[in-house]
Amino acid sequence: MLEKEVSIMFKSLDPLLHSELRLAVMSILISVEEADFVYLKEQTKATSGNLSVQIEKLSEAGYIDVERGFQGKRTRTVCRKTEKGVEAFQKYVEALKGYLSL
Amino acid sequence: MLEKEVSIMFKSLDPLLHSELRLAVMSILISVEEADFVYLKEQTKATSGNLSVQIEKLSEAGYIDVERGFQGKRTRTVCRKTEKGVEAFQKYVEALKGYLSL
DNA sequence: ATAATTAGGTTTATAATGTAAACCAATTTA
DNA sequence: TAAATTGGTTTACATTATAAACCTAATTAT
């Protein structure tokens, strides 16, 4: 009985979300319809390289959609959360609560 | 003005605590006076090697005290949170809330 | 008595991750 | 036209996480 309680104590934390920058990106995208590279960079204070890599990972995982297009003549990369991304985020938050006793 | 709000959005996450296993260990120690290696291993389902390494890191950081002694004739490693560890944990939880909108 | 097994770990080697620095192409400004 | 800026990507390095191998002491089986 005790063992059963124990086994549910610490759910594993999705490694894709358990990363400071990727979590920040998802956090922003959850609360907003879309956000472009420049905006995400400002908000997270990440370097371009790091942000580029982490966006790519979230995209590969299917947690966000990335659309590379143009704003006038300049390139513009726009990101949006996916259904899958939202679910993963919610699940991550629930799992994390087990660690924080929230 | 908006910029000021932005700058406080994502507080940086203590890398020592932003690790699944180390966070689990701290989480246990927060709620309990002391816990030995075997208990921590059971609760976290970590391998001995990984647990050993992460305990050492928390200890080096001054977040926990580690006492190597004996239980009868067998060795027994007991861990306890420190004041510094508790403060770091609380700060981490507060910072994390900014990412989860809790 | 000694050989094998278990308990309680630590050390070491490898794989995965995170990050910054260097780079590139296009655009704008001097 | 040269220099600087924008909007990124690629690459190389440092850090981290993890498992596997190892070690010592104690227990159990032969």
Side-chain angles (χ1 to χ4, degrees):
Chain A
M1 277 305 168
L2 271 171
E3 291 162 55
K4 282 240 163 170
E5 289 177 45
V6 159
S7 66
I8 57 162
M9 278 260 44
F10 297 110
K11 297 180 191 163
S12 74
L13 299 175
D14 184 343
L16 258 141
L17 294 179
H18 198 62
S19 138
E20 185 162 349
L21 183 48
R22 288 196 300 269
L23 189 62
V25 168
M26 284 304 294
S27 177
I28 290 168
L29 293 179
I30 291 290
S31 69
V32 116
E33 264 316 299
E34 60 175 51
D36 63 21
F37 191 93
V38 172
Y39 179 78
L40 290 173
K41 195 185 167 195
E42 283 167 7
Q43 298 289 314
T44 61
K45 292 173 211 68
T47 61
S48 297
N50 194 8
L51 184 57
S52 180
V53 169
Q54 307 312 330
I55 282 177
E56 180 57 24
K57 286 190 184 173
L58 289 171
S59 173
E60 273 171 25
Y63 288 4
I64 66 174
D65 282 334
V66 180
E67 199 184 316
R68 285 160 179 97
F70 286 88
Q71 169 100 309
K73 288 181 175 177
R74 295 204 157 281
T75 60
R76 180 163 184 258
T77 299
V78 181
C79 304
R80 288 179 196 81
K81 61 185 167 278
T82 63
E83 185 69 21
K84 188 177 178 187
V86 173
E87 282 164 19
F89 187 81
Q90 286 167 347
K91 203 173 163 194
Y92 173 78
V93 172
E94 283 314 305
L96 202 50
K97 283 182 182 173
Y99 291 74
L100 310 182
S101 32
L102 289 179
Chain B
M1 280 305 170
L2 272 172
E3 292 164 55
K4 282 239 166 171
E5 289 177 47
V6 160
S7 64
I8 58 163
M9 279 259 46
F10 298 109
K11 297 180 192 162
S12 74
L13 299 174
D14 183 343
L16 258 142
L17 294 179
H18 198 62
S19 139
E20 186 163 347
L21 183 48
R22 287 195 301 269
L23 189 62
V25 168
M26 283 304 294
S27 177
I28 291 168
L29 293 178
I30 291 290
S31 67
V32 118
E33 262 317 299
E34 59 175 52
D36 63 22
F37 190 93
V38 172
Y39 180 79
L40 290 173
K41 193 184 166 195
E42 282 167 8
Q43 299 289 315
T44 62
K45 292 171 209 67
T47 61
S48 297
N50 194 8
L51 184 56
S52 179
V53 169
Q54 306 313 328
I55 282 177
E56 180 57 23
K57 285 189 187 176
L58 288 171
S59 172
E60 273 171 27
Y63 288 4
I64 67 175
D65 281 334
V66 180
E67 199 185 315
R68 285 158 180 100
F70 286 88
Q71 170 99 309
K73 287 180 176 180
R74 295 202 159 283
T75 60
R76 180 165 185 256
T77 299
V78 181
C79 303
R80 288 180 196 82
K81 61 186 168 275
T82 62
E83 184 69 21
K84 187 176 176 187
V86 173
E87 282 164 19
F89 187 82
Q90 286 167 346
K91 202 173 162 192
Y92 173 78
V93 171
E94 283 315 305
L96 203 50
K97 283 182 182 173
Y99 291 74
L100 309 182
S101 29
L102 288 179

